[in-house]
């Protein structure tokens, strides 16, 4: 056994702490700040902005929609930048955009200014310092435990939704919305940016640390990234993944965003609907970690069909006008399926395209699934025009099942093979 192999195994199993976990936790902090402030806490500012600038709730919500839609077009460039440049600088640029945007919001005097800031600076922050950053670092730093690491990396959004809304709500009560934005910007500048610059590195090799040994289902550790944007888009596997996951994402998002009115249709009050949504979120977190761990041990395609079985069971129950008690089975099944999609998708991308191209591929994937942004109004439109959500649930299930065999063609790429 060579000295390199010995030191590699020692780094993964013999030492009390692998430095990759430091990298992963700092990236989770970045995601929590970005998503927690920009998305999860947005709702608490709506009433203040209505009073300050006028306009309806729907008009103010356009600021958040602008950030989410523009982010989709920035993701491919952000992913390519993460694969080409030092990733700590890319992430730090995202947090600087976040801090700058928050400071500018504190000085806003008109609604159009909010929309411009959210659509430019805060959308850039989401793309550069949000979930794509954490998943790319997880794919780069971990090998044998890559699936588990990617699963954990997707928890950053939930962490942000847990930490920042109560913090922001308290700040609003004690100091108002303008000072709140200033102090949030200071938090990002003082804590987030230095942590990224000091802790993050592109890979174990860049930090002078032996990497983990390869796992059974790990991606080939390519010496270079030969995947260009054109070659990724020409690769059939990329489109198999987009199509195979998209309709499940649309149905899951449509259910989550319409849970309140759908619960009322079933005779469940608002508090009951909110509790169902909380259980959904909990099951999503469990699903992220569980499917991430399983992705290190089992064929990813088999896990996809396990998730599809959860999804199908929950969808069929939805169409049966379930009771409140049965809705817990629905959110268990759908939450697990929805949570498992993110780490499984990340593991499949990493396995086929290699970790060095992860950011580029995931960035393009996030752009191609932008139709998910229309899931909420589409589900509501179906309900308004048919009197039921059933056509949305069952139609989405039928399309998913019809397209699911494409996933069988997503096979691991042989080591060092050239892109097509």
């Amino acid at each position: 056994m060579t000295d390199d192999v010995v030191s590699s195994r020692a780094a993964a199993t013999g030492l009390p702490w692998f430095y990759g976990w430091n990298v992963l936790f700092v990236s989770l902090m970045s995601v929590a700040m970005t998503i927690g402030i920009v998305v999860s806490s947005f709702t608490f500012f709506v009433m203040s902005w209505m009073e300050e600038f006028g306009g309806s709730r729907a008009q103010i919500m356009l600021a958040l929609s602008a950030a989410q839609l523009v982010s989709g077009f920035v993701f491919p460039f952000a992913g390519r930048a993460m694969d080409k440049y030092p990733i700590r600088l890319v992430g730090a640029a995202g947090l600087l955009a976040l801090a700058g945007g928050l400071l500018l919001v504190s000085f806003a005097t008109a609604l159009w200014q909010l929309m411009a800031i959210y659509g430019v600076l805060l959308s850039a922050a989401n793309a550069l310092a949000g979930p794509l950053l954490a998943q790319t670092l997880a794919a780069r730093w971990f090998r044998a435990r890559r699936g588990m690491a990617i699963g954990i990396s997707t928890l950053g959004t939930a962490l942000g939704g847990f930490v920042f809304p109560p913090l922001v709500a308290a700040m609003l009560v004690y100091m108002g919305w303008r000072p709140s934005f200033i102090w949030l910007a200071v938090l990002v500048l003082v804590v987030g940016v230095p942590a990224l610059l000091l802790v993050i590195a592109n890979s174990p090799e860049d930090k002078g640390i032996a990497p983990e040994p390869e796992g059974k289902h790990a991606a080939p550790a390519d010496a270079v990234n030969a995947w260009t944007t054109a070659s990724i888009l020409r690769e059939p596997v990329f489109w198999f993944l987009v199509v195979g996951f998209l309709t499940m994402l649309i149905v899951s998002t449509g259910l989550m965003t319409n849970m309140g009115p759908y619960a009322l249709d079933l005779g469940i009050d608002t508090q009951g609907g909110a509790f169902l949504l909380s259980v959904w979120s909990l099951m999503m977190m469990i699903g992220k970690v569980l499917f991430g761990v399983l992705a290190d041990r089992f064929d990813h395609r088999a896990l996809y069909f396990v998730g599809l079985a959860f999804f199908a069971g929950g969808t069929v129950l939805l169409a049966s006008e379930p009771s409140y008690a049965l809705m817990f089975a629905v959110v268990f099944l759908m939450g697990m399926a929805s949570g498992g999609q993110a780490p499984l998708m990340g593991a499949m991308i990493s396995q086929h395209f290699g970790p060095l191209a992860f950011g580029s591929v995931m960035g393009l994937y996030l752009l191609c699934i932008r139709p998910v942004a229309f899931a909420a109004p589409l589900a509501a439109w179906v309900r308004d025009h048919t009197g039921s959500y059933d056509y949305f649930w069952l139609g989405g299930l039928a399309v998913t099942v019809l397209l699911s065999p494409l996933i069988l063609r997503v096979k691991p790429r042989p080591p060092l093979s050239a892109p097509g």
Side-chain angles (χ1 to χ4, degrees):
M1 185 177 294
T2 66
D3 292 340
D4 288 342
V5 173
V6 172
S7 63
S8 178
R9 292 185 177 177
T13 60
L15 296 178
W17 188 259
F18 179 50
Y19 189 83
W21 295 115
N22 297 352
V23 173
L24 190 59
F25 292 148
V26 169
S27 69
L28 284 177
M29 177 203 66
S30 177
V31 177
M33 284 184 169
T34 305
I35 300 300
I37 295 173
V38 176
V39 180
S40 301
S41 300
F42 184 90
T43 185
F44 296 104
F45 298 109
V46 171
M47 300 308 296
S48 297
W49 288 338
M50 287 177 63
E51 183 178 344
E52 183 89 15
F53 305 126
S56 65
R57 298 185 186 191
Q59 288 174 322
I60 291 174
M61 286 292 180
L62 287 175
L64 182 59
S65 296
Q68 293 174 321
L69 288 174
V70 174
S71 291
F73 294 95
V74 180
F75 277 129
F77 300 99
R80 180 62 64 179
M82 291 177 192
D83 290 338
K84 186 176 182 180
Y85 303 108
I87 199 166
R88 71 180 189 280
L89 298 183
V90 177
L95 288 185
L96 287 173
L98 174 61
L102 296 175
L103 284 173
L104 288 177
V105 168
S106 72
F107 294 104
T109 58
L111 183 57
W112 70 266
Q113 295 172 4
L114 288 179
M115 294 182 182
I117 295 166
Y118 270 81
V120 178
L121 285 174
L122 298 186
S123 66
N126 181 38
L128 295 172
L132 179 59
L133 175 77
Q135 292 187 54
T136 301
L137 283 167
R140 294 272 189 86
W141 271 84
F142 292 85
R143 294 182 182 179
R145 296 174 290 183
R146 182 172 289 142
M148 179 176 67
I150 292 176
I152 293 174
S153 75
T154 63
L155 294 176
T157 54
L159 180 63
F162 178 77
V163 172
F164 281 96
L167 174 63
V168 166
M171 294 172 72
L172 280 171
V173 170
Y174 288 104
M175 63 180 69
W177 71 272
R178 291 185 188 273
S180 296
F181 272 93
I182 294 174
W183 282 107
L184 288 170
V186 170
L187 175 66
V188 174
L189 285 172
V190 172
V191 178
V193 174
L196 271 182
L197 292 175
L198 292 173
V199 175
I200 298 297
N202 278 29
S203 66
E205 292 82 358
D206 286 350
K207 198 71 174 177
I209 298 170
E212 286 190 320
E214 296 290 351
K216 179 180 178 181
H217 294 282
D222 294 359
V224 295
N225 171 21
W227 290 95
T228 65
T229 298
S231 65
I232 294 168
L233 294 177
R234 288 196 303 266
E235 176 65 22
V237 166
F238 175 79
W239 296 106
F240 295 158
L241 291 172
V242 170
V243 173
F245 281 89
L246 182 57
T247 50
M248 275 199 286
L249 286 169
I250 289 175
V251 173
S252 299
T253 303
L255 172 60
M256 184 172 63
T257 54
N258 283 267
M259 182 66 78
Y262 178 62
L264 292 175
D265 286 350
L266 297 176
I268 301 169
D269 62 21
T270 301
Q271 287 184 328
F275 185 62
L276 286 172
L277 200 55
S278 296
V279 176
W280 170 290
S281 299
L282 175 63
M283 297 314 303
M284 279 191 67
M285 289 189 284
I286 294 173
K288 287 173 185 289
V289 176
L290 178 61
F291 273 77
V293 171
L294 293 175
D296 293 328
R297 293 165 171 79
F298 299 101
D299 189 298
H300 299 156
R301 294 167 297 177
L303 292 175
Y304 170 87
F305 285 98
V306 171
L308 178 58
F310 278 101
F311 171 77
T315 305
V316 170
L317 289 178
L318 279 174
S320 68
E321 297 187 5
S323 64
Y324 185 51
L326 197 56
M327 275 299 294
F328 283 98
V330 171
V331 297
F332 170 82
L333 293 169
M334 298 289 283
M336 286 288 289
S338 181
Q341 289 172 28
L344 187 56
M345 165 56 65
M348 295 175 87
I349 286 178
S350 178
Q351 186 182 58
H352 182 81
F353 293 93
L356 296 184
F358 185 90
S360 300
V361 181
M362 182 60 78
L364 288 170
Y365 171 78
L366 291 172
L367 171 62
C368 292
I369 63 167
R370 282 303 95 186
V372 171
F374 303 100
L378 177 60
W381 182 87
V382 170
R383 167 64 177 82
D384 290 341
H385 286 77
T386 68
S388 172
Y389 287 100
D390 288 354
Y391 291 101
F392 181 78
W393 313 140
L394 296 178
L397 174 60
V399 174
T400 302
V401 171
L402 181 65
L403 297 175
S404 63
L406 292 174
I407 295 296
L408 294 174
R409 302 186 64 184
V410 181
K411 299 178 182 179
R413 180 171 57 89
L416 301 180
S417 65

